[in-house]
Amino acid sequence: MELVRKRNKAAETEAVGAFWRWWSVAGAGLITAAVMTGVYGDLPEMIGAMVMAIHPELRWETGPGARSRHRLCVSGGGDPRLRVLAERWRRAAPPPTETWEFAAARQAQPVVLTGTLEGLGEEVDLGLARIAMDWDDRSALAELTVFHPAFKGMGTNDCRQAGRLLVDWMLGEDDVQRWVGAINVARTDPRDSQPAAVVPEFFQAVATRNPAPRWTMREAKTSSGHRVIVCALRPLRWVDHPLLDLHTAVRISYRRTGSDGLPDDGLPDGEALMGLLHLEKDLESALGPRGTVVASETSNGLRVLHYYSDSEDQNGRDSLDRFARTRNDVEVVHTYDPGWGRVRKFIQAG
């Protein structure tokens, strides 16, 4: 697994470099002329081949920019693995100009909702789309059901593709990751649906109510009766840290309360708790800005700290390994985890 990852990394890095070399020498001029004249020739196939050389599932598109006249976007379609690659592509880009800016995810384009989506078997007038929303305060995520009259004559996969594109254009791909837990499609108009064009206002209010994650604590018990304390930043989204794709579980053994003659609930005694706090500060200093801790679990003589760092930054991983080698009570386990699946149950719960 690790050898495959390294080999792919080298190919991805070379493909990203090749794209931006082409862009600097000829690409920017060619695509600018194509956008201005509407004459693209074989340029879409050329760009598509270079983007697919980074990864065959990446896609690209152009659109109006926020600060520049045009935007070039490479998108992974919401896949965390591909979002990492798109972000690396974006960060390798030259500085934006008056003509071009760059994005690693589809940006919100509400104006598209007045247009037409073609190429899926049926012409889809996006202005007729309606969306029903089911918001869950506990997870801070919404389940969306997209309806369009054209869906009645379309296959299931085409309906899903149209629904996903509509929501991406409505909210922007990253906000879909932040606030949408599921996207469904329906061939009959669901109850309580609204015109798609008014839905972004709801999510703007959601973002205002959830300005930043905060540390929260929960307690439970194991089947053997030991207490479990979980601390986590909530709600926390991997998409706000797209390059932190390496999960490191730092496992720390500690002395339990029962070793003092007190009832043993599996948690650290007073001295051990102070030792854990000092150790965590030392860990934070060792890692520095190269990563972040997002959650911890404490139970039955073991505290597990969940860190994320950049898998391509060997110094971050090595700093945690070096720290563990200096302590008999610490071990670390690294896992490639774009999308933060290993901590989702902690950071999304309300």
Side-chain angles (χ1 to χ4, degrees):
M1 178 70 72
E2 189 68 21
L3 291 175
V4 170
R5 174 68 192 152
K6 288 180 179 178
R7 186 167 62 249
N8 287 344
K9 171 187 166 183
E12 293 157 4
T13 301
E14 172 54 33
V16 167
F19 182 96
W20 291 119
R21 288 192 296 272
W22 169 81
W23 179 270
S24 298
V25 172
L30 290 172
I31 195 169
T32 300
V35 170
M36 296 292 290
T37 63
V39 178
Y40 285 83
D42 61 357
L43 189 58
E45 290 76 14
M46 184 188 307
I47 297 175
M50 286 187 291
V51 169
M52 291 177 67
I54 303 171
H55 193 285
E57 295 178 43
L58 287 172
R59 297 295 180 263
W60 70 279
E61 62 185 43
T62 61
R67 296 179 177 84
S68 305
R69 285 195 293 275
H70 309 290
R71 176 188 296 122
L72 176 62
C73 170
V74 165
S75 166
D79 185 321
R81 298 172 303 117
L82 301 179
R83 180 65 174 81
V84 173
L85 294 178
E87 185 68 17
R88 298 197 194 285
W89 169 87
R90 185 190 70 83
R91 295 197 185 196
T97 65
E98 290 185 3
T99 307
W100 287 102
E101 64 187 37
F102 312 101
R106 290 190 182 98
Q107 307 296 293
Q109 299 183 55
V111 68
V112 174
L113 300 183
T114 63
T116 300
L117 177 63
E118 300 177 352
L120 293 177
E122 292 279 337
E123 188 175 276
V124 181
D125 179 351
L126 296 175
L128 300 179
R130 298 183 64 84
I131 295 180
M133 295 184 295
D134 183 8
W135 176 258
D136 180 12
D137 276 323
R138 185 173 181 274
S139 64
L141 290 170
E143 182 174 355
L144 303 183
T145 300
V146 182
F147 163 76
H148 194 284
F151 287 175
K152 295 178 182 178
M154 295 169 60
T156 300
N157 288 338
D158 284 347
C159 289
R160 289 174 178 165
Q161 185 177 350
R164 174 73 199 206
L165 284 171
L166 174 70
V167 174
D168 281 351
W169 287 327
M170 182 177 69
L171 301 179
E173 197 171 86
D174 284 351
D175 267 356
V176 172
Q177 292 296 325
R178 289 186 186 98
W179 307 120
V180 179
I183 301 173
N184 308 309
V185 293
R187 291 187 170 89
T188 57
D189 193 358
R191 188 175 63 178
D192 301 329
S193 68
Q194 304 176 62
V198 307
V199 172
E201 296 180 13
F202 172 82
F203 287 97
Q204 290 167 8
V206 164
T208 300
R209 294 197 305 269
N210 296 272
R214 64 187 185 277
W215 281 101
T216 60
M217 184 175 73
R218 284 191 162 191
E219 181 172 341
K221 282 193 175 182
T222 67
S223 57
S224 59
H226 291 120
R227 295 168 65 195
V228 180
I229 304 294
V230 175
C231 296
L233 284 166
R234 300 190 183 101
L236 187 64
R237 312 304 196 209
W238 65 266
V239 75
D240 294 317
H241 310 275
L243 293 186
L244 301 189
D245 55 355
L246 180 69
H247 173 264
T248 300
V250 180
R251 301 166 58 87
I252 310 165
S253 302
Y254 59 79
R255 189 175 66 180
R256 295 153 38 153
T257 50
S259 37
D260 286 344
L262 298 173
D264 182 8
D265 60 3
L267 298 182
D269 62 20
E271 183 179 347
L273 180 58
M274 292 302 298
L276 286 171
L277 294 175
H278 287 301
L279 187 149
E280 289 175 28
K281 287 184 179 179
D282 291 342
L283 262 173
E284 184 177 346
S285 297
L287 185 59
R290 298 181 181 277
T292 186
V293 60
V294 302
S296 69
E297 303 169 80
T298 305
S299 180
N300 201 21
L302 184 68
R303 174 167 289 183
V304 181
L305 303 174
H306 296 273
Y307 280 88
Y308 279 90
S309 60
D310 185 341
S311 64
E312 292 198 4
D313 181 3
Q314 192 67 35
N315 291 325
R317 176 175 181 162
D318 287 350
S319 65
L320 294 173
D321 287 338
R322 284 194 301 269
F323 185 90
R325 286 196 293 269
T326 68
R327 302 285 302 243
N328 293 328
D329 55 348
V330 177
E331 65 174 351
V332 297
V333 178
H334 305 288
T335 308
Y336 184 61
D337 185 30
W340 296 12
R342 290 182 171 264
V343 297
R344 190 171 297 135
K345 62 183 178 181
F346 303 137
I347 63 176
Q348 286 190 355

